[in-house]
Amino acid sequence: MNTNIRNDWTREEIEAIYQLPVLNLVHKAGAVHREYHDPQEVQVCTLLSIKTGGCPEDCAYCPQAARYHTDVEVEKLLPTEQVLEAAKTAKEAGSTRFCMGAAWREVRDNRDFDRVLEMVKGVCDMGMEVCCTLGMLTQDQALKLKEAGLYAYNHNLDTSEEHYQEIITTRTYGDRLHTLEHVREADISVCSGGIIGLGEMEEDRIGMLITLANLPQHPESVPINALVPVAGTPMEDQERVSVWEMVRMIATARIIMPEAMIRLSAGRVRMNAEEQALCFLAGANSIFAGDKLLTTPNPDQQSDQELFQQLNLKPRPAYKNTTVEMT
Ligand code: SAM
Ligand code: DTB
Ligand code: SF4
């Protein structure tokens, strides 16, 4: 283990990094980025919503929560063939990671879960890194997913522990952390990050970064999402976060979790090429590709191709630097 990888960050240290003059911060993060990663390489992941809408949770940002009246139409779990077809298309478009999302509070041991295990196996057999985000998991469910070939599991902390109850009341921060433990224990790669623009304060953003960086082992990937405000959710009128706030989050995450993949996630549709380039300079090295995230728009293939050409970026191969045991 690299001795520069620390899990004992103090709030003061992280705050001092976060509050550096922004160009110094980018410079520092860029240096760390170059030490640990090839700065031209960007991981391209594709998302697919395999079970959309009708979720019993009350996450204030989420268009898929049943209790808010949004334009999202509730759908049953997609057929396996349709999911594998989408994975194939994503692979052909250059994605090396395929992430399947379900609007579930938690996984239940039922036929739908058996079908998700089938999907995981199918995508894994295609040679892609397969990821899922299905809500809370028990230890046993995490082990079953691992056995089916799951490579990574996404489960976001979203915000600080203090701000969490302002955003979600139907589960606790502790529930989130337990699932992350189950994922880690099953030797599945951990993907966990959050959202900015939820009306949080800077100290909440720093608080979330402290929790992530002080986990016993850093997540292998850390998505930083900018809120996509959706009509009908309690967050519909939130003010847009500025690119400098995204840059500060990304750069701080890069410095304190040097080996992690930092993902510039939701919010790219509202960013131009120059703004996205700033995020890459600050240490982001992963994106979601494809014209839809789960339910909201994302830049299309052509504009991302142009972006990669303009910035001389190349997609990262699947399973690079794999430390997670594959079954
Ligand atoms: N239901 C599962 C869960 O909550 O863990 C998995 C799917 S959920 C949609 C995955 C993540 O998407 C959330 O944790 C949140 O970080 C992100 N997300 C949802 N709605 C969003 C929005 N409007 N803007 C930005 N990120 C969003
Ligand atoms: C993550 O951190 N961002 C993705 C993925 N993990 C699952 C989801 C973003 C969702 C944005 C809102 C939507 O499209 O529904
Ligand atoms: Fe459900 Fe996940 Fe949306 Fe929360 S974020 S309402 S758990 S789909």
Side-chain angles (χ1 to χ4, degrees), residues 55-59 61-66 68 102-105 135 158 168 171 176:
C55 184
E57 300 284 74
D58 70 351
C59 313
Y61 49 75
C62 187
Q64 301 198 68
Y68 310 134
W104 288 334
R105 165 180 165 78
D158 284 334
I168 301 149
R171 57 168 188 256
R176 272 335 241 186

Side-chain angles (χ1 to χ4, degrees), residues 31-50:
V32 174
H33 191 184
R34 275 156 184 69
E35 196 183 324
Y36 287 84
H37 302 268
D38 172 352
Q40 266 161 276
E41 205 172 79
V42 172
Q43 181 186 48
V44 182
C45 318
T46 295
L47 270 174
L48 177 68
S49 182
I50 58 169

Side-chain angles (χ1 to χ4, degrees), residues 74-302:
V74 180
E75 280 175 21
K76 293 190 299 204
L77 185 66
L78 293 182
T80 307
E81 308 77 67
Q82 195 178 328
V83 173
L84 297 184
E85 199 50 45
K88 187 164 161 254
T89 309
K91 186 177 177 181
E92 283 163 4
S95 271
T96 53
R97 179 178 286 206
F98 189 70
C99 181
M100 299 180 274
W104 288 334
R105 165 180 165 78
E106 76 244 307
V107 168
R108 303 252 175 93
D109 295 301
N110 57 16
R111 298 230 318 262
D112 275 359
F113 183 45
D114 294 339
R115 286 174 51 203
V116 171
L117 294 173
E118 232 173 70
M119 294 170 193
V120 167
K121 188 161 182 328
V123 178
C124 177
D125 288 347
M126 289 165 59
M128 294 177 96
E129 293 179 18
V130 50
C131 174
C132 279
T133 180
L134 313 169
M136 293 185 266
L137 287 183
T138 63
Q139 188 62 70
D140 186 54
Q141 291 161 344
L143 289 166
K144 285 197 174 123
L145 284 163
K146 170 73 181 180
E147 210 179 304
L150 190 77
Y151 182 74
Y153 195 78
N154 167 251
H155 200 64
N156 291 336
L157 291 181
D158 284 334
T159 187
S160 68
E161 182 163 14
E162 295 73 24
H163 194 57
Y164 203 72
Q165 56 243 43
E166 307 293 321
I167 303 297
I168 301 149
T169 67
T170 47
R171 57 168 188 256
T172 66
Y173 217 59
D175 291 332
R176 272 335 241 186
L177 292 168
H178 277 127
T179 293
L180 290 180
E181 276 167 28
H182 297 153
V183 172
R184 187 52 90 199
E185 197 61 31
D187 207 12
I188 295 169
S189 178
V190 172
C191 173
S192 187
I195 312 180
I196 63 169
L198 304 175
E200 73 284 350
M201 293 188 294
E202 279 185 337
E203 61 196 65
D204 295 307
R205 296 177 186 172
I206 292 164
M208 180 183 86
L209 291 173
I210 300 175
T211 308
L212 291 170
N214 288 345
L215 287 172
Q217 198 181 331
H218 293 166
E220 281 76 10
S221 89
V222 179
I224 305 290
N225 296 278
L227 173 74
V228 181
V230 178
T233 65
M235 295 273 139
E236 65 181 342
D237 292 325
Q238 279 297 316
E239 215 174 289
R240 182 182 168 182
V241 298
S242 92
V243 67
W244 303 112
E245 298 175 87
M246 276 305 262
V247 162
R248 281 191 187 279
M249 277 307 274
I250 290 169
T252 310
R254 165 56 64 227
I255 293 169
I256 63 178
M257 294 175 277
E259 289 180 326
M261 304 296 294
I262 308 291
R263 184 171 313 132
L264 170 57
S265 303
R268 285 200 306 121
V269 258
R270 296 205 284 186
M271 294 168 86
N272 62 25
E274 290 80 354
E275 289 172 327
Q276 294 182 61
L278 260 176
C279 294
F280 294 130
L281 275 176
N285 58 352
S286 174
I287 57 162
F288 284 119
D291 53 15
K292 213 158 147 198
L293 289 163
L294 289 170
T295 66
T296 64
N298 195 46
D300 62 24
Q301 199 187 337
Q302 200 193 330

